[in-house]
Amino acid sequence: MTVDATPEARTEPPRQSSLGTAAARNLSTTTKSAPQMQEITSRWLLRMLPWVETSGGTYRVNRRLTYTVGDGRVEFVQEGADVRVVPRELGELALLRGFDDVGVLTALAERCEQREFRAGETLVERGAPAERLHLIAHGRVNQLTVGEYGDDIALDVLADGDRFGDHALLDEDARWEQTAVAETPVTLLTLARADFAAVMASAPQLRAHIEEFRSRADRRQNHRGEAEIAMSAGHQGEHELPGAFVDYESNPREYELSVAQTILRVHTRVADLYNNPMNQTKEQLRLTIEALRERQEDELINNREFGLLHNADFKQRIQPHAGPPTPDDLDNLLSRRRGTKFYLAHPRTIAAIGREFNARGLYPDHVDVGGQQVTAWRGVPILPCNKIPVTKERTSSILAMRTGEENQGVIGLRQTGLPEEYEPGLSVRFMGVDEQAITSYLVSTYYSAAILVPDAVGVLENVQIGHWPR
């Protein structure tokens, strides 16, 4: 007798792609509520941002030319989470001070590698070979050495714009004299000695300059680092007035509208037979739009290209004094910009703020925002947003922002007048009925956000929200 060892073929039931009739019947019998959805939040960011019409799908932010060569600190350009060193800023290095060949500086800047370190991670070890220059784009770095009695001694704390390892670019026998440890999450740009040597080999003007140390670039700046507008004041008589013009960035940042989309499927049987007293298609569409709006707010906060957390200027990011969010920390964040419209924080962070205030005997004010009473500090509302991440170490961030084009603040971007527009910036397109009698609708929303000037957004980072005052 022959036994067939081939297993019997099994067919799985087809995956359901639309609402079933059993669930649909729940909207057509008995006294009932409209379908509920736990994912829906207050979405304060979407409500508070002024929305700017973005024809053509792109918004260009023209800014006054800014450079601060000669201030001793290196500056960077951010595009989302990507960071680049401004080529002319390499002139802050003693080795390159006075060197003004932008082509060579650009070649050096392009060879800088972005690296990320976690808090507590060691960047370099004392005594190890030094082969790279380290430029600190963001974060705090402790420099440690061994004391007379064998214990670690803190020599210095480096932060945004500082650097270490200049000597490693030319000295093949260079070693680290200190250990460098990340006190907070750190973003570095590093330039290897081999890359520096490769650029120098192809640039005779750089080789000729290597042993020279010139004065800093002579172009003048205002206290914000913007190209200075020459003027005269307090003069008498026929004083010759200086000529002036306002210089702009040659490559301004452009924001393209992003998109969130989904396809809503409704079976014709459900739409025909179970549409009373509640419209099945309308209720399905309402919940779908709610989910898209939640995703939209999440993207405005966290998207690596245009999200506010990734695009906040490094100079506008600060650390709490002791970890928990104290009134002093909120004041520090508030003082860094004019006309702050609101704070934005995770609900757990707002609870931590309340605990710290209560521990100090302080009771924040409440202000009316859109008919709702919300907690405020110094008259600035503190609005909840559960899209701001909370790490496993129970830390989070607090944003403070100024809004509106007229205030050179943060704006939301969208385009209205879309084909089959259902809400401003959101369209619902009928895609047809397939052979399974399922009606499909393409639901799309287009959006982005732009920070018009760097101080429009500030971030209090690494806020400890698990602390309970005693």
Side-chain angles (χ1 to χ4, degrees), residues 37-49 51 285-301 342-345 347 369 372 383-387 423 426 445:
M37 183 175 177
Q38 189 174 346
E39 185 183 7
I40 299 174
T41 64
S42 53
R43 298 199 293 268
W44 277 107
L45 180 60
L46 299 188
R47 294 160 60 180
M48 297 296 290
L49 279 183
W51 291 91
L285 182 59
R286 177 179 66 84
L287 297 182
T288 300
I289 291 175
E290 293 282 3
L292 278 178
R293 293 301 191 196
E294 293 291 332
R295 180 59 180 268
Q296 177 182 352
E297 186 175 63
D298 184 272
E299 292 281 299
L300 293 177
I301 293 290
F342 57 89
Y343 294 104
L344 202 65
V369 181
Q372 184 172 341
L383 304 177
C385 177
N386 70 340
K387 313 305 187 305
E423 292 179 356
L426 184 146
T445 181

Side-chain angles (χ1 to χ4, degrees), residues 261-264 427-431 440-444:
Q261 293 178 307
T262 189
I263 296 176
L264 171 64
S427 67
V428 180
R429 291 189 175 186
F430 175 69
M431 297 177 63
S440 298
Y441 301 88
L442 176 64
V443 187
S444 308

Side-chain angles (χ1 to χ4, degrees), residues 122-274:
T122 299
L123 282 59
V124 300
E125 285 279 4
R126 179 176 178 269
E131 299 176 345
R132 289 177 175 269
L133 164 72
H134 295 263
L135 307 174
I136 303 176
H138 181 56
R140 290 168 59 90
V141 175
N142 282 331
Q143 286 192 314
L144 309 173
T145 191
V146 178
E148 184 176 355
Y149 299 100
D151 55 340
D152 287 339
I153 296 178
L155 293 179
D156 200 1
V157 177
L158 305 180
D160 301 11
D162 290 326
R163 74 271 182 186
F164 60 97
D166 305 45
H167 64 298
L169 293 181
L170 294 178
D171 185 0
E172 294 184 357
D173 298 323
R175 291 187 175 272
W176 296 114
E177 298 178 356
Q178 300 91 21
T179 296
V181 179
E183 183 179 343
T184 67
V186 171
T187 299
L188 290 182
L189 290 183
T190 67
L191 178 61
R193 183 194 305 131
D195 289 329
F196 184 84
V199 174
M200 188 168 59
S202 61
Q205 63 273 40
L206 178 58
R207 293 198 302 270
H209 176 83
I210 276 302
E211 299 302 329
E212 300 180 7
F213 293 93
R214 297 179 181 176
S215 60
R216 64 176 185 171
D218 58 358
R219 296 193 68 180
R220 303 176 64 186
Q221 318 96 41
N222 62 18
H223 70 286
R224 292 288 188 179
E226 297 171 322
E228 186 178 63
I229 301 174
M231 63 184 66
S232 179
H235 53 270
Q236 296 180 353
E238 298 179 353
H239 183 78
E240 183 177 351
L241 299 179
F245 68 96
V246 180
D247 204 358
Y248 300 122
E249 290 185 356
S250 57
N251 296 300
R253 174 83 182 269
E254 292 186 349
Y255 293 84
E256 294 186 358
L257 293 184
S258 183
V259 62
Q261 293 178 307
T262 189
I263 296 176
L264 171 64
R265 295 183 173 91
V266 182
H267 201 287
T268 53
R269 181 181 180 186
V270 169
D272 292 342
L273 301 181
Y274 304 100

Side-chain angles (χ1 to χ4, degrees), residues 258-400:
S258 183
V259 62
Q261 293 178 307
T262 189
I263 296 176
L264 171 64
R265 295 183 173 91
V266 182
H267 201 287
T268 53
R269 181 181 180 186
V270 169
D272 292 342
L273 301 181
Y274 304 100
N275 236 19
N276 187 39
M278 294 184 183
N279 187 300
Q280 293 281 2
T281 303
K282 182 177 179 181
E283 293 299 325
Q284 290 274 300
L285 182 59
R286 177 179 66 84
L287 297 182
T288 300
I289 291 175
E290 293 282 3
L292 278 178
R293 293 301 191 196
E294 293 291 332
R295 180 59 180 268
Q296 177 182 352
E297 186 175 63
D298 184 272
E299 292 281 299
L300 293 177
I301 293 290
N302 298 302
N303 186 281
R304 294 182 65 86
E305 296 296 326
F306 58 83
L308 298 180
L309 281 178
H310 288 290
N311 282 269
D313 190 86
F314 284 148
K315 292 183 178 179
Q316 296 298 323
R317 305 187 192 191
I318 61 176
Q319 306 295 324
H321 178 71
T326 66
D328 293 335
D329 293 322
L330 294 184
D331 281 341
N332 192 11
L333 187 59
L334 187 65
S335 67
R336 289 175 170 257
R337 68 201 40 78
R338 58 178 171 83
T340 301
K341 186 72 172 180
F342 57 89
Y343 294 104
L344 202 65
H346 193 281
R348 295 180 186 175
T349 306
I350 296 178
I353 292 173
R355 291 195 297 269
E356 295 300 321
F357 277 46
N358 291 341
R360 291 161 174 78
L362 298 174
Y363 301 94
D365 298 330
H366 286 77
V367 297
D368 183 276
V369 181
Q372 184 172 341
Q373 291 291 313
V374 298
T375 302
W377 177 245
R378 308 289 190 193
V380 178
I382 305 174
L383 304 177
C385 177
N386 70 340
K387 313 305 187 305
I388 299 176
V390 174
T391 69
K392 63 181 180 181
E393 292 82 14
R394 315 305 278 178
T395 63
S396 188
S397 299
I398 300 174
L399 288 83

